[in-house]
Amino acid sequence: MITSAVASHSEVLSSPAPSTRFIEYGESSLNFYVKFFIKDVMGGIRVTSEVNLIIWEVLKQHQIEIPFPQRTL
């Protein structure tokens, strides 16, 4: 799901293909490493931001929410 979302960006190269790896359990998260290559390295920050927004939309479409820690003071 995440890898195909990344691949949908027009500037992400299909070869080598994007990849996603589950890295660790966070305090209130599941942490993934997403690797992809783009056509122009000068657009790295912009494309990364756009890819992150695409991932966010796909998670919302699948009703996957990001948990936030609940703390009582």
Side-chain angles (χ1 to χ4, degrees):
M1 170 177 53
I2 293 175
T3 305
S4 60
V6 173
S8 73
H9 192 286
S10 63
E11 294 183 56
V12 172
L13 299 176
S14 59
S15 181
S19 63
T20 307
R21 300 287 184 264
F22 175 64
I23 298 176
E24 64 186 353
Y25 295 96
E27 182 178 331
S28 296
S29 65
L30 301 174
N31 298 330
F32 290 86
Y33 176 76
V34 179
K35 182 178 179 180
F36 59 91
F37 293 88
I38 60 173
K39 297 175 184 177
D40 180 11
V41 70
M42 296 304 292
I45 293 172
R46 177 185 51 80
V47 173
T48 298
S49 175
E50 292 169 359
V51 164
N52 285 337
L53 291 172
I54 291 169
I55 293 169
W56 178 255
E57 289 301 320
V58 168
L59 293 175
K60 286 193 318 188
Q61 288 171 5
H62 287 85
Q63 299 176 338
I64 299 171
E65 298 179 3
I66 306 299
F68 294 99
Q70 302 295 315
R71 302 187 200 273
T72 305
L73 299 174

